[in-house]
Coordinates of all heavy atoms in Angstrom, one line a residue:
M1 N -15.3 -9.2 22.3 CA -15.9 -9.1 21.0 C -15.1 -8.1 20.1 O -15.0 -8.3 18.9 CB -17.3 -8.7 21.2 CG -18.1 -8.8 19.9 SD -18.2 -10.5 19.4 CE -19.8 -10.6 18.8
E2 N -14.6 -7.1 20.7 CA -13.8 -6.1 20.0 C -12.6 -6.7 19.4 O -12.2 -6.4 18.3 CB -13.4 -4.9 20.9 CG -12.7 -3.8 20.2 CD -12.4 -2.7 21.2 OE1 -13.3 -2.3 21.9 OE2 -11.3 -2.2 21.1
R3 N -11.9 -7.6 20.2 CA -10.7 -8.3 19.7 C -11.0 -9.2 18.5 O -10.2 -9.3 17.6 CB -10.1 -9.1 20.9 CG -8.9 -9.8 20.5 CD -7.7 -8.9 20.4 NE -6.5 -9.7 20.1 CZ -5.6 -9.3 19.3 NH1 -5.6 -8.2 18.7 NH2 -4.5 -10.1 19.1
L4 N -12.2 -9.8 18.5 CA -12.6 -10.7 17.4 C -12.8 -9.9 16.1 O -12.4 -10.3 15.1 CB -13.9 -11.5 17.8 CG -14.4 -12.4 16.7 CD1 -13.4 -13.5 16.4 CD2 -15.7 -13.0 17.1
T5 N -13.4 -8.7 16.3 CA -13.6 -7.8 15.1 C -12.2 -7.4 14.6 O -12.1 -7.3 13.3 CB -14.4 -6.6 15.5 OG1 -15.6 -7.1 16.1 CG2 -14.7 -5.7 14.4
E6 N -11.3 -7.1 15.4 CA -10.0 -6.7 15.0 C -9.3 -7.8 14.3 O -8.6 -7.6 13.2 CB -9.2 -6.2 16.2 CG -7.8 -5.7 15.9 CD -7.1 -5.3 17.2 OE1 -7.7 -4.8 18.1 OE2 -5.9 -5.5 17.2
I7 N -9.4 -9.0 14.8 CA -8.7 -10.2 14.1 C -9.3 -10.4 12.7 O -8.6 -10.6 11.8 CB -8.9 -11.4 15.0 CG1 -8.0 -11.3 16.3 CG2 -8.5 -12.7 14.2 CD1 -8.2 -12.4 17.3
M8 N -10.7 -10.3 12.6 CA -11.3 -10.5 11.4 C -10.9 -9.4 10.4 O -10.7 -9.7 9.2 CB -12.8 -10.5 11.5 CG -13.4 -11.7 12.3 SD -13.0 -13.2 11.5 CE -14.1 -13.1 10.1
T9 N -10.8 -8.2 10.8 CA -10.3 -7.1 9.9 C -8.9 -7.3 9.5 O -8.6 -7.1 8.3 CB -10.4 -5.7 10.7 OG1 -11.7 -5.5 11.2 CG2 -10.0 -4.6 9.8
D10 N -8.0 -7.8 10.4 CA -6.7 -8.1 10.0 C -6.6 -9.2 9.0 O -5.8 -9.2 8.0 CB -5.8 -8.4 11.2 CG -5.5 -7.2 12.1 OD1 -5.7 -6.1 11.6 OD2 -5.1 -7.4 13.2
L11 N -7.4 -10.3 9.2 CA -7.4 -11.4 8.2 C -7.9 -11.0 6.9 O -7.3 -11.4 5.8 CB -8.3 -12.5 8.8 CG -7.7 -13.3 10.0 CD1 -8.7 -14.3 10.5 CD2 -6.4 -14.0 9.5
E12 N -8.9 -10.1 6.8 CA -9.4 -9.6 5.5 C -8.3 -8.8 4.8 O -8.1 -8.9 3.6 CB -10.7 -8.8 5.8 CG -11.3 -8.3 4.5 CD -12.5 -7.5 4.7 OE1 -13.0 -7.5 5.9 OE2 -13.0 -6.8 3.8
R13 N -7.6 -7.9 5.6 CA -6.6 -7.1 5.0 C -5.5 -8.0 4.4 O -5.0 -7.7 3.3 CB -6.1 -6.2 6.1 CG -5.0 -5.2 5.6 CD -4.6 -4.3 6.7 NE -4.3 -4.9 8.0 CZ -3.1 -5.5 8.3 NH1 -2.1 -5.5 7.5 NH2 -3.0 -6.0 9.5
V14 N -5.0 -9.0 5.2 CA -4.0 -9.8 4.7 C -4.4 -10.6 3.5 O -3.7 -10.8 2.5 CB -3.5 -10.7 5.9 CG1 -2.6 -11.8 5.4 CG2 -2.8 -9.9 6.9
S15 N -5.6 -11.1 3.5 CA -6.1 -11.9 2.4 C -6.2 -11.1 1.1 O -5.9 -11.6 0.0 CB -7.5 -12.6 2.7 OG -8.5 -11.6 2.8
N16 N -6.5 -9.8 1.2 CA -6.6 -8.9 0.1 C -5.1 -8.7 -0.5 O -4.9 -8.7 -1.7 CB -7.2 -7.6 0.4 CG -8.6 -7.6 0.6 OD1 -9.3 -8.5 0.0 ND2 -9.2 -6.7 1.3
L17 N -4.2 -8.6 0.4 CA -2.8 -8.4 -0.1 C -2.3 -9.7 -0.7 O -1.5 -9.7 -1.7 CB -1.9 -8.0 1.1 CG -2.1 -6.6 1.6 CD1 -1.2 -6.4 2.9 CD2 -1.8 -5.6 0.6
I18 N -2.7 -10.9 -0.2 CA -2.3 -12.2 -0.8 C -2.9 -12.3 -2.2 O -2.3 -12.7 -3.1 CB -2.7 -13.3 0.1 CG1 -1.8 -13.3 1.4 CG2 -2.5 -14.7 -0.6 CD1 -2.2 -14.2 2.5
A19 N -4.2 -11.9 -2.3 CA -4.9 -12.0 -3.6 C -4.2 -11.1 -4.6 O -4.0 -11.5 -5.8 CB -6.3 -11.6 -3.4
D20 N -3.8 -9.9 -4.2 CA -3.0 -9.0 -5.1 C -1.7 -9.6 -5.5 O -1.3 -9.5 -6.7 CB -2.8 -7.7 -4.4 CG -4.0 -6.8 -4.3 OD1 -5.0 -7.1 -4.9 OD2 -3.9 -5.8 -3.5
A21 N -1.0 -10.3 -4.6 CA 0.2 -10.9 -5.0 C 0.0 -12.1 -6.0 O 0.8 -12.2 -6.9 CB 0.9 -11.5 -3.7
I22 N -1.0 -12.8 -5.8 CA -1.3 -13.9 -6.7 C -1.6 -13.4 -8.1 O -1.1 -13.9 -9.1 CB -2.5 -14.8 -6.2 CG1 -2.1 -15.6 -5.0 CG2 -3.0 -15.7 -7.3 CD1 -3.2 -16.2 -4.2
I23 N -2.4 -12.3 -8.2 CA -2.7 -11.7 -9.5 C -1.5 -11.1 -10.1 O -1.3 -11.3 -11.3 CB -3.8 -10.5 -9.3 CG1 -5.1 -11.1 -8.9 CG2 -3.9 -9.7 -10.5 CD1 -6.2 -10.1 -8.5
R24 N -0.6 -10.6 -9.3 CA 0.6 -10.0 -9.9 C 1.5 -11.1 -10.5 O 2.1 -10.9 -11.5 CB 1.4 -9.3 -8.8 CG 2.7 -8.7 -9.3 CD 3.4 -7.9 -8.2 NE 4.5 -7.2 -8.8 CZ 5.7 -7.1 -8.2 NH1 5.8 -7.5 -7.0 NH2 6.7 -6.5 -8.8
R25 N 1.6 -12.3 -9.8 CA 2.4 -13.4 -10.4 C 1.8 -14.0 -11.6 O 2.5 -14.4 -12.5 CB 2.6 -14.4 -9.3 CG 3.5 -14.0 -8.2 CD 4.1 -15.1 -7.5 NE 5.1 -14.6 -6.6 CZ 6.2 -15.2 -6.3 NH1 6.5 -16.3 -6.9 NH2 7.0 -14.7 -5.5
T26 N 0.5 -14.1 -11.6 CA -0.2 -14.8 -12.8 C -0.3 -13.8 -14.0 O -0.3 -14.3 -15.1 CB -1.6 -15.3 -12.4 OG1 -2.4 -14.2 -11.9 CG2 -1.5 -16.4 -11.4
N27 N -0.5 -12.5 -13.7 CA -0.6 -11.6 -14.8 C 0.0 -10.3 -14.5 O -0.6 -9.3 -14.1 CB -2.1 -11.4 -15.1 CG -2.4 -10.7 -16.4 OD1 -1.4 -10.3 -17.1 ND2 -3.6 -10.5 -16.8
P28 N 1.4 -10.2 -14.7 CA 2.1 -9.0 -14.2 C 1.7 -7.7 -14.9 O 1.9 -6.6 -14.4 CB 3.5 -9.3 -14.5 CG 3.6 -10.6 -15.2 CD 2.2 -11.2 -15.3
C29 N 1.1 -7.8 -16.1 CA 0.7 -6.6 -16.8 C -0.4 -5.8 -16.1 O -0.5 -4.6 -16.1 CB 0.3 -6.9 -18.2 SG 1.6 -7.5 -19.3
E30 N -1.3 -6.6 -15.4 CA -2.3 -6.0 -14.7 C -1.8 -5.1 -13.5 O -2.5 -4.2 -13.0 CB -3.3 -7.0 -14.2 CG -4.0 -7.8 -15.2 CD -5.2 -7.0 -15.8 OE1 -5.8 -6.2 -15.0 OE2 -5.5 -7.1 -17.0
D31 N -0.7 -5.5 -13.0 CA -0.2 -4.9 -11.8 C 0.5 -3.5 -12.1 O 0.6 -2.7 -11.2 CB 0.8 -5.8 -11.1 CG 1.4 -5.3 -9.8 OD1 0.6 -5.0 -8.9 OD2 2.6 -5.1 -9.7
D32 N 1.0 -3.3 -13.3 CA 1.8 -2.1 -13.6 C 0.8 -1.0 -13.8 O -0.1 -1.1 -14.5 CB 2.6 -2.4 -14.8 CG 3.7 -3.4 -14.6 OD1 4.0 -3.7 -13.4 OD2 4.2 -3.9 -15.6
I33 N 1.2 0.2 -13.2 CA 0.4 1.4 -13.4 C 1.4 2.6 -13.7 O 2.5 2.5 -13.2 CB -0.5 1.8 -12.3 CG1 0.2 1.9 -11.0 CG2 -1.6 0.7 -12.2 CD1 -0.7 2.4 -9.8
T34 N 1.0 3.5 -14.4 CA 1.8 4.7 -14.7 C 1.8 5.6 -13.5 O 1.0 5.5 -12.6 CB 1.3 5.4 -15.9 OG1 0.0 5.9 -15.6 CG2 1.3 4.6 -17.2
E35 N 2.7 6.6 -13.6 CA 2.9 7.5 -12.5 C 1.6 8.4 -12.3 O 1.1 8.6 -11.2 CB 4.1 8.4 -12.6 CG 4.3 9.3 -11.5 CD 5.7 9.9 -11.4 OE1 6.5 9.6 -12.3 OE2 5.9 10.7 -10.5
S36 N 1.0 8.8 -13.4 CA -0.2 9.6 -13.4 C -1.3 8.8 -12.8 O -2.1 9.4 -11.9 CB -0.6 10.2 -14.7 OG -0.8 9.1 -15.6
A37 N -1.5 7.5 -13.1 CA -2.5 6.7 -12.5 C -2.2 6.5 -11.0 O -3.2 6.5 -10.2 CB -2.6 5.4 -13.2
A38 N -1.0 6.3 -10.7 CA -0.6 6.1 -9.3 C -0.9 7.4 -8.4 O -1.4 7.3 -7.3 CB 0.9 5.8 -9.1
R39 N -0.7 8.5 -9.0 CA -1.0 9.8 -8.3 C -2.5 9.9 -8.1 O -3.0 10.4 -7.1 CB -0.5 11.0 -9.1 CG 1.0 11.1 -9.1 CD 1.5 12.3 -9.9 NE 2.9 12.3 -10.1 CZ 3.8 12.8 -9.2 NH1 3.3 13.4 -8.1 NH2 5.1 12.8 -9.5
K40 N -3.3 9.5 -9.1 CA -4.8 9.6 -9.0 C -5.3 8.6 -7.9 O -6.1 8.9 -7.1 CB -5.4 9.3 -10.3 CG -5.3 10.4 -11.3 CD -5.9 10.0 -12.6 CE -5.6 11.0 -13.7 NZ -6.1 10.6 -15.0
L41 N -4.7 7.4 -7.9 CA -5.2 6.4 -7.0 C -4.7 6.6 -5.5 O -5.5 6.3 -4.6 CB -4.7 5.0 -7.5 CG -5.4 4.4 -8.7 CD1 -4.7 3.2 -9.2 CD2 -6.9 4.1 -8.4
Y42 N -3.5 7.0 -5.4 CA -2.9 7.0 -4.0 C -2.6 8.4 -3.5 O -2.3 8.6 -2.4 CB -1.5 6.3 -4.0 CG -1.7 4.8 -4.4 CD1 -1.5 4.4 -5.7 CD2 -2.1 3.9 -3.4 CE1 -1.7 3.0 -6.0 CE2 -2.3 2.6 -3.8 CZ -2.1 2.1 -5.1 OH -2.3 0.8 -5.4
G43 N -2.8 9.4 -4.4 CA -2.6 10.8 -4.0 C -1.2 11.3 -4.3 O -0.2 10.6 -4.1
D44 N -1.1 12.5 -4.9 CA 0.1 13.0 -5.3 C 1.1 13.2 -4.1 O 2.3 12.9 -4.2 CB -0.1 14.4 -6.0 CG 1.1 15.0 -6.5 OD1 1.9 14.3 -7.2 OD2 1.3 16.2 -6.3
R45 N 0.6 13.8 -3.1 CA 1.5 14.1 -1.9 C 2.0 12.8 -1.3 O 3.2 12.7 -1.0 CB 0.7 14.8 -0.9 CG 1.4 15.2 0.3 CD 0.6 16.1 1.2 NE 1.3 16.3 2.5 CZ 0.7 16.6 3.6 NH1 -0.6 16.6 3.7 NH2 1.3 16.8 4.7
W46 N 1.2 11.8 -1.2 CA 1.7 10.5 -0.6 C 2.7 9.8 -1.5 O 3.7 9.3 -1.0 CB 0.4 9.5 -0.4 CG 0.8 8.3 0.2 CD1 0.9 8.0 1.6 CD2 1.1 7.0 -0.4 NE1 1.3 6.7 1.8 CE2 1.4 6.1 0.6 CE3 1.2 6.6 -1.8 CZ2 1.7 4.8 0.3 CZ3 1.5 5.3 -2.0 CH2 1.8 4.4 -1.0
L47 N 2.5 9.8 -2.8 CA 3.4 9.2 -3.7 C 4.8 10.0 -3.7 O 5.8 9.3 -3.7 CB 2.9 9.2 -5.1 CG 3.7 8.4 -6.1 CD1 3.8 6.9 -5.7 CD2 3.1 8.5 -7.5
R48 N 4.8 11.3 -3.7 CA 6.0 12.0 -3.6 C 6.8 11.7 -2.3 O 8.0 11.6 -2.3 CB 5.7 13.5 -3.7 CG 5.6 14.0 -5.1 CD 5.6 15.5 -5.2 NE 4.2 16.0 -4.9 CZ 3.9 16.9 -3.9 NH1 4.9 17.5 -3.3 NH2 2.7 17.3 -3.7
Q49 N 6.0 11.6 -1.2 CA 6.6 11.3 0.1 C 7.3 9.9 0.1 O 8.4 9.7 0.6 CB 5.6 11.4 1.2 CG 6.1 11.1 2.6 CD 5.1 11.2 3.6 OE1 3.9 11.3 3.3 NE2 5.5 11.1 4.9
M50 N 6.6 8.9 -0.5 CA 7.2 7.6 -0.6 C 8.4 7.5 -1.5 O 9.4 6.8 -1.2 CB 6.1 6.6 -1.1 CG 5.0 6.3 -0.1 SD 5.5 5.6 1.4 CE 5.0 6.9 2.6
K51 N 8.4 8.3 -2.6 CA 9.5 8.4 -3.5 C 10.7 9.0 -2.8 O 11.9 8.6 -2.9 CB 9.2 9.1 -4.7 CG 8.4 8.3 -5.8 CD 8.0 9.2 -6.9 CE 9.2 9.6 -7.8 NZ 8.8 10.3 -9.0
K52 N 10.4 10.1 -2.0 CA 11.5 10.8 -1.3 C 12.2 9.9 -0.3 O 13.4 9.9 -0.1 CB 10.9 12.0 -0.6 CG 11.9 12.9 0.1 CD 11.2 14.1 0.7 CE 12.2 14.9 1.4 NZ 11.6 16.1 2.1
C53 N 11.4 9.1 0.4 CA 11.9 8.1 1.4 C 12.6 6.9 0.8 O 13.2 6.2 1.4 CB 10.8 7.7 2.3 SG 10.1 9.0 3.4
G54 N 12.4 6.8 -0.5 CA 13.0 5.6 -1.2 C 12.2 4.3 -1.1 O 12.7 3.3 -1.3
L55 N 10.9 4.5 -0.7 CA 10.1 3.3 -0.5 C 9.3 2.9 -1.7 O 9.1 1.7 -1.9 CB 9.1 3.5 0.7 CG 9.8 3.8 2.0 CD1 8.7 4.2 3.1 CD2 10.6 2.5 2.5
A56 N 8.9 3.8 -2.5 CA 8.1 3.5 -3.7 C 9.1 3.2 -4.9 O 9.9 4.1 -5.3 CB 7.3 4.7 -4.1
K57 N 9.2 2.0 -5.3 CA 10.1 1.6 -6.4 C 9.4 1.7 -7.7 O 8.2 1.4 -7.8 CB 10.4 0.1 -6.2 CG 11.0 -0.3 -4.8 CD 12.4 0.3 -4.6 CE 12.9 -0.2 -3.3 NZ 13.5 0.9 -2.5
W58 N 10.1 2.2 -8.7 CA 9.5 2.4 -10.0 C 10.6 2.1 -11.0 O 11.7 2.0 -10.7 CB 9.0 3.9 -10.2 CG 10.1 4.9 -9.9 CD1 10.3 5.4 -8.6 CD2 11.0 5.5 -10.8 NE1 11.3 6.3 -8.7 CE2 11.8 6.4 -10.0 CE3 11.2 5.5 -12.1 CZ2 12.7 7.2 -10.6 CZ3 12.2 6.2 -12.7 CH2 12.9 7.1 -11.9
S59 N 10.1 1.8 -12.2 CA 11.0 1.5 -13.3 C 10.6 2.4 -14.5 O 9.4 2.8 -14.6 CB 10.9 0.1 -13.7 OG 9.6 -0.3 -14.1
R60 N 11.5 2.7 -15.3 CA 11.3 3.6 -16.5 C 11.1 2.7 -17.7 O 11.9 1.9 -18.1 CB 12.5 4.5 -16.6 CG 12.2 5.6 -17.6 CD 13.0 6.8 -17.1 NE 12.8 8.0 -17.8 CZ 11.8 8.9 -17.5 NH1 11.1 8.7 -16.4 NH2 11.6 10.0 -18.2
V61 N 9.9 2.9 -18.4 CA 9.6 2.2 -19.6 C 9.3 3.3 -20.6 O 8.3 4.0 -20.6 CB 8.4 1.3 -19.4 CG1 8.1 0.6 -20.8 CG2 8.7 0.2 -18.4
G62 N 10.3 3.5 -21.5 CA 10.1 4.6 -22.5 C 10.3 5.9 -21.8 O 11.3 6.1 -21.2
S63 N 9.3 6.7 -21.9 CA 9.3 8.0 -21.2 C 8.4 8.0 -19.9 O 8.1 9.0 -19.4 CB 8.9 9.1 -22.1 OG 7.5 8.9 -22.5
R64 N 7.9 6.8 -19.6 CA 6.9 6.7 -18.4 C 7.6 6.0 -17.2 O 8.3 5.1 -17.4 CB 5.7 6.0 -18.9 CG 5.0 6.7 -20.0 CD 4.0 5.9 -20.7 NE 3.3 4.8 -20.0 CZ 2.3 4.1 -20.5 NH1 1.8 4.4 -21.7 NH2 1.8 3.2 -19.8
N65 N 7.2 6.5 -16.1 CA 7.5 5.8 -14.8 C 6.4 4.8 -14.5 O 5.3 5.2 -14.4 CB 7.7 6.8 -13.7 CG 8.9 7.7 -13.8 OD1 9.8 7.4 -14.6 ND2 8.9 8.8 -13.2
I66 N 6.8 3.5 -14.3 CA 5.8 2.5 -14.0 C 6.0 2.0 -12.5 O 7.1 1.7 -12.1 CB 6.0 1.3 -15.0 CG1 5.9 1.8 -16.4 CG2 5.0 0.2 -14.7 CD1 4.6 2.3 -16.8
Y67 N 4.9 1.9 -11.8 CA 4.9 1.4 -10.4 C 4.1 0.1 -10.4 O 3.3 -0.2 -11.2 CB 4.2 2.5 -9.5 CG 4.9 3.8 -9.4 CD1 4.7 4.8 -10.3 CD2 5.8 4.0 -8.4 CE1 5.3 6.0 -10.2 CE2 6.5 5.2 -8.3 CZ 6.2 6.2 -9.2 OH 6.9 7.4 -9.1
S68 N 4.4 -0.6 -9.3 CA 3.7 -1.9 -9.0 C 2.5 -1.5 -8.1 O 2.7 -1.0 -7.0 CB 4.6 -2.9 -8.4 OG 3.8 -3.9 -7.8
R69 N 1.3 -1.8 -8.5 CA 0.1 -1.5 -7.7 C 0.2 -2.3 -6.4 O -0.1 -1.8 -5.3 CB -1.1 -1.9 -8.5 CG -2.4 -1.6 -7.8 CD -3.6 -2.1 -8.5 NE -3.6 -1.6 -9.9 CZ -4.4 -0.7 -10.4 NH1 -5.3 -0.2 -9.6 NH2 -4.4 -0.4 -11.7
H70 N 0.7 -3.5 -6.5 CA 0.8 -4.4 -5.3 C 1.8 -3.8 -4.3 O 1.5 -3.7 -3.1 CB 1.2 -5.8 -5.6 CG 1.5 -6.7 -4.4 ND1 0.4 -7.1 -3.6 CD2 2.6 -7.2 -3.9 CE1 1.0 -7.9 -2.7 NE2 2.3 -7.9 -2.8
Q71 N 2.9 -3.3 -4.7 CA 3.9 -2.7 -3.8 C 3.4 -1.5 -3.2 O 3.6 -1.2 -2.0 CB 5.2 -2.5 -4.6 CG 6.4 -2.2 -3.8 CD 6.8 -0.7 -3.8 OE1 6.3 0.1 -4.6 NE2 7.7 -0.4 -2.9
L72 N 2.7 -0.6 -3.9 CA 2.1 0.6 -3.4 C 1.0 0.3 -2.4 O 0.9 0.9 -1.3 CB 1.5 1.5 -4.5 CG 2.6 2.1 -5.4 CD1 1.9 2.9 -6.5 CD2 3.6 2.9 -4.7
D73 N 0.2 -0.8 -2.7 CA -0.8 -1.2 -1.7 C -0.2 -1.7 -0.4 O -0.7 -1.4 0.7 CB -1.7 -2.3 -2.3 CG -2.7 -1.8 -3.3 OD1 -3.0 -0.6 -3.3 OD2 -3.2 -2.7 -4.1
C74 N 0.9 -2.4 -0.5 CA 1.6 -2.9 0.7 C 2.2 -1.7 1.5 O 2.1 -1.7 2.7 CB 2.7 -3.9 0.3 SG 2.1 -5.5 -0.2
L75 N 2.7 -0.8 0.8 CA 3.2 0.4 1.5 C 2.1 1.2 2.3 O 2.3 1.5 3.4 CB 3.9 1.4 0.5 CG 5.3 1.2 0.1 CD1 5.7 2.1 -1.0 CD2 6.2 1.3 1.3
R76 N 1.0 1.4 1.6 CA -0.1 2.1 2.2 C -0.7 1.3 3.4 O -1.0 1.9 4.4 CB -1.2 2.3 1.2 CG -2.3 3.2 1.7 CD -3.3 3.6 0.6 NE -3.8 2.4 0.0 CZ -4.7 2.4 -1.0 NH1 -5.1 3.6 -1.5 NH2 -5.1 1.3 -1.6
D77 N -0.7 0.0 3.2 CA -1.3 -0.8 4.3 C -0.3 -0.8 5.5 O -0.8 -0.7 6.7 CB -1.5 -2.3 3.8 CG -2.3 -3.1 4.8 OD1 -3.4 -2.7 5.1 OD2 -1.8 -4.1 5.2
A78 N 1.0 -0.9 5.3 CA 2.0 -0.9 6.3 C 1.9 0.5 7.1 O 2.0 0.5 8.3 CB 3.4 -1.1 5.8
E79 N 1.7 1.5 6.3 CA 1.6 2.9 6.9 C 0.4 3.0 7.8 O 0.4 3.5 8.9 CB 1.6 3.9 5.8 CG 1.6 5.3 6.3 CD 1.6 6.3 5.1 OE1 0.6 6.3 4.3 OE2 2.5 7.1 5.0
R80 N -0.7 2.5 7.4 CA -2.0 2.5 8.2 C -1.8 1.6 9.4 O -2.4 2.0 10.4 CB -3.1 2.1 7.3 CG -3.5 3.1 6.3 CD -4.7 2.7 5.4 NE -5.0 3.7 4.5 CZ -5.8 3.6 3.5 NH1 -6.4 2.4 3.2 NH2 -6.0 4.6 2.7
E81 N -1.2 0.5 9.3 CA -1.0 -0.4 10.4 C -0.1 0.3 11.5 O -0.4 0.2 12.7 CB -0.4 -1.7 10.0 CG -0.2 -2.7 11.1 CD -1.5 -3.2 11.7 OE1 -2.5 -3.2 11.0 OE2 -1.5 -3.6 12.9
E82 N 0.9 1.0 11.1 CA 1.8 1.7 12.0 C 1.0 2.8 12.7 O 1.1 2.9 13.9 CB 2.9 2.4 11.2 CG 4.2 2.4 11.9 CD 5.3 2.9 10.9 OE1 5.4 4.1 10.9 OE2 5.9 2.1 10.2
A83 N 0.1 3.5 12.0 CA -0.7 4.5 12.6 C -1.7 3.9 13.6 O -1.9 4.5 14.7 CB -1.4 5.3 11.6
K84 N -2.2 2.8 13.3 CA -3.2 2.1 14.1 C -2.5 1.7 15.5 O -3.1 1.9 16.5 CB -3.8 0.9 13.4 CG -5.0 0.3 14.1 CD -5.7 -0.7 13.2 CE -5.0 -2.0 13.2 NZ -5.8 -3.1 12.5
L85 N -1.3 1.2 15.4 CA -0.6 0.8 16.6 C -0.3 2.0 17.5 O -0.3 1.9 18.7 CB 0.7 0.1 16.2 CG 0.6 -1.3 15.6 CD1 1.9 -1.8 15.1 CD2 -0.1 -2.3 16.5
I86 N 0.1 3.1 16.9 CA 0.4 4.3 17.6 C -0.9 4.8 18.3 O -0.8 5.1 19.5 CB 0.9 5.4 16.7 CG1 2.3 5.0 16.2 CG2 1.0 6.8 17.4 CD1 2.9 5.9 15.2
F87 N -2.0 4.8 17.7 CA -3.2 5.3 18.3 C -3.7 4.4 19.4 O -4.2 4.8 20.4 CB -4.3 5.5 17.2 CG -4.2 6.8 16.4 CD1 -4.1 6.7 15.1 CD2 -4.1 8.0 17.0 CE1 -3.9 7.8 14.3 CE2 -3.9 9.1 16.3 CZ -3.8 9.1 14.9
K88 N -3.5 3.1 19.2 CA -3.8 2.1 20.2 C -3.0 2.4 21.5 O -3.5 2.4 22.6 CB -3.5 0.7 19.7 CG -4.7 -0.1 19.3 CD -4.3 -1.5 19.1 CE -5.3 -2.2 18.3 NZ -5.0 -3.6 18.0
R89 N -1.7 2.6 21.3 CA -0.8 2.8 22.4 C -1.2 4.1 23.1 O -1.2 4.2 24.4 CB 0.6 2.9 21.9 CG 1.6 2.9 23.1 CD 3.0 2.8 22.7 NE 3.2 1.4 22.2 CZ 4.2 1.0 21.4 NH1 5.1 1.9 21.0 NH2 4.3 -0.2 21.0
L90 N -1.6 5.1 22.4 CA -2.0 6.4 23.0 C -3.3 6.2 23.8 O -3.5 6.9 24.8 CB -2.1 7.5 22.0 CG -0.8 8.0 21.3 CD1 -1.1 9.0 20.2 CD2 0.1 8.6 22.4
G91 N -4.2 5.4 23.3 CA -5.4 5.2 24.0 C -5.3 4.5 25.3 O -6.1 4.6 26.2
K92 N -4.3 3.6 25.4 CA -4.2 2.8 26.7 C -3.5 3.6 27.8 O -3.5 3.2 28.9 CB -3.4 1.5 26.3 CG -4.2 0.5 25.6 CD -3.5 -0.7 25.4 CE -4.3 -1.7 24.6 NZ -3.7 -3.0 24.5
E93 N -2.7 4.6 27.4 CA -2.0 5.4 28.4 C -2.9 6.3 29.1 O -3.9 6.8 28.8 CB -0.8 6.1 27.8 CG 0.2 5.2 27.3 CD 1.4 5.9 26.7 OE1 1.3 7.1 26.5 OE2 2.4 5.2 26.4

């Protein structure tokens, strides 16, 4: 039963990312957020860390840095999945 719950959670997570990708393709303006909005939504420390690693891609529009909300969501989701795998492995040993 635990495995079924895990599968359902993974399917929900993937479907949310797919929905975000569809929204981004149909209306790209909705996907773009400024750096200050990204810091509020994802956390200042996390965003700085992703920029330092070269994972958070941004573009400059005028005097503002613009990020893709979908790309940041994918980064955050990948980071959480990695942590989940590490904790699973530690729990089995």
Side-chain angles (χ1 to χ4, degrees):
M1 193 60 144
E2 184 179 314
R3 180 74 179 141
L4 181 61
T5 305
E6 184 180 326
I7 291 171
M8 292 300 290
T9 303
D10 288 345
L11 286 174
E12 183 179 349
R13 180 177 48 85
V14 169
S15 65
N16 285 337
L17 292 174
I18 290 170
D20 286 346
I22 291 169
I23 290 170
R24 181 174 185 219
R25 287 199 176 219
T26 57
N27 194 359
C29 295
E30 293 282 328
D31 183 59
D32 294 342
I33 58 174
T34 62
E35 185 164 359
S36 61
R39 289 179 190 273
K40 288 177 188 174
L41 289 171
Y42 299 96
D44 183 48
R45 183 175 173 206
W46 183 84
L47 188 61
R48 275 190 282 126
Q49 182 181 7
M50 292 299 117
K51 282 176 68 175
K52 183 178 177 183
C53 294
L55 298 173
K57 307 290 185 229
W58 52 275
S59 58
R60 194 147 185 92
V61 177
S63 63
R64 297 166 26 173
N65 292 339
I66 303 295
Y67 294 88
S68 165
R69 184 185 306 250
H70 175 70
Q71 194 253 348
L72 293 177
D73 283 343
C74 288
L75 276 175
R76 185 172 57 181
D77 192 57
E79 185 179 59
R80 288 180 178 167
E81 183 65 27
E82 219 174 85
K84 190 166 81 171
L85 291 174
I86 290 170
F87 285 123
K88 257 187 195 177
R89 187 170 293 163
L90 290 175
K92 288 186 179 183
E93 292 180 353

